């Protein structure tokens, strides 16, 4: 009868870790580099709140409200509603199929000159407006461009009044309630 013998050479072998280490060495730097380019940013834009009827009765007198309707097909429409209920509309058409951001800025500056105390703007985008376009529009109506800073050779910095450049810093969405 034949007996089974185990070979000593078969029970030991060398584990080749070179392919595994090659993968780790190439993937880890790639992951570290990709994390450096991913940045999460948040735009503070609160939604309108639901209030009770008793809060409406005791609410302060109505103020001027400004809303901006955004449509990829038609462009922008500013609506300024006075406390008396009078609505003034200002339309800014698209240029060459793209939003006219310069026209939007000049209209926002003109409206801000008429109503300097109003700081809130309600955005009402249509469903065809891309998120990136919406972010650019929000950036455009928050502040007017600042002039180029001049070099100062003194030890004291030149004070800059940031409220002088604000247009509508409080941007809310007016049509997200469904």
């Amino acid at each position: 009868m034949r007996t089974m013998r185990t070979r000593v050479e078969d029970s030991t072998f060398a584990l080749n870790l070179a392919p595994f280490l090659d993968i780790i060495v190439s993937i880890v730097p790639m992951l570290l580099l990709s994390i450096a380019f991913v940045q999460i940013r948040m735009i503070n834009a609160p939604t309108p709140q639901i209030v009770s009827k008793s809060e409406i009765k005791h609410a302060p007198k109505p103020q001027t409200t400004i809303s901006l309707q955004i449509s990829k097909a038609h462009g922008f429409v500013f609506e300024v509603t006075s406390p008396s209920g009078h609505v003034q509309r200002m339309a800014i058409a698209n240029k060459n199929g793209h939003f006219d951001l310069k026209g939007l800025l000049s209209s926002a500056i003109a409206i801000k000159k008429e109503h300097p105390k109003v700081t809130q703007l309600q955005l009402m985008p249509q469903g065809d407006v891309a998120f990136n376009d919406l972010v650019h529009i929000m950036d455009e109506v928050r502040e007017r461009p600042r002039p180029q800073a001049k070099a100062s050779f003194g030890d004291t910095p030149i004070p800059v009044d940031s409220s002088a450049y604000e247009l509508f810093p409080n941007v809310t969405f007016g049509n997200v309630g469904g």
Side-chain angles (χ1 to χ4, degrees):
M1 177 185 268
R2 192 169 170 196
T3 60
M4 296 193 74
R5 291 189 226 170
T6 59
R7 293 185 187 174
V8 176
E9 302 103 31
D10 289 343
S11 63
T12 61
F13 61 93
L15 184 61
N16 187 6
L17 294 177
F20 179 73
L21 289 176
D22 287 341
I23 291 172
I24 297 299
V25 167
S26 61
I27 287 179
V28 168
M30 183 185 69
L31 290 175
L32 289 175
L33 286 174
S34 66
I35 289 173
F37 295 113
V38 175
Q39 295 179 359
I40 298 174
R41 297 190 184 233
M42 181 176 70
I43 297 174
N44 189 10
T47 57
Q49 301 295 320
I50 299 173
V51 294
S52 66
K53 290 182 180 181
S54 64
E55 291 178 9
I56 293 173
K57 289 179 184 177
H58 297 88
K61 64 179 183 172
Q63 299 177 355
T64 302
T65 59
I66 301 172
S67 64
L68 177 62
Q69 297 176 0
I70 307 166
S71 172
K72 190 73 172 172
H74 301 100
F76 306 108
V77 177
F78 271 110
E79 284 189 1
V80 181
T81 307
S82 66
S84 63
H86 175 67
V87 177
Q88 174 188 0
R89 288 188 173 84
M90 183 184 301
I92 302 128
N94 291 339
K95 282 190 177 177
N96 300 326
H98 299 290
F99 289 120
D100 183 13
L101 294 178
K102 289 182 182 179
L104 174 69
L105 178 63
S106 62
S107 298
I109 290 172
I111 290 172
K112 185 64 174 186
K113 285 180 182 176
E114 291 178 18
H115 308 282
K117 293 186 179 182
V118 178
T119 60
Q120 187 170 2
L121 176 72
Q122 288 184 357
L123 286 182
M124 297 187 185
Q126 298 295 321
D128 59 353
V129 179
F131 180 74
N132 286 336
D133 292 335
L134 198 57
V135 170
H136 290 300
I137 292 165
M138 289 172 67
D139 289 340
E140 203 69 30
V141 297
R142 284 180 193 244
E143 285 187 345
R144 70 180 78 189
R146 298 173 188 248
Q148 293 293 328
K150 296 181 180 177
S152 173
F153 297 107
D155 289 339
T156 60
I158 300 170
V160 177
D161 183 18
S162 63
S163 65
Y165 299 103
E166 287 182 350
L167 291 174
F168 304 106
N170 300 329
V171 178
T172 59
F173 288 93
N175 61 348
V176 294

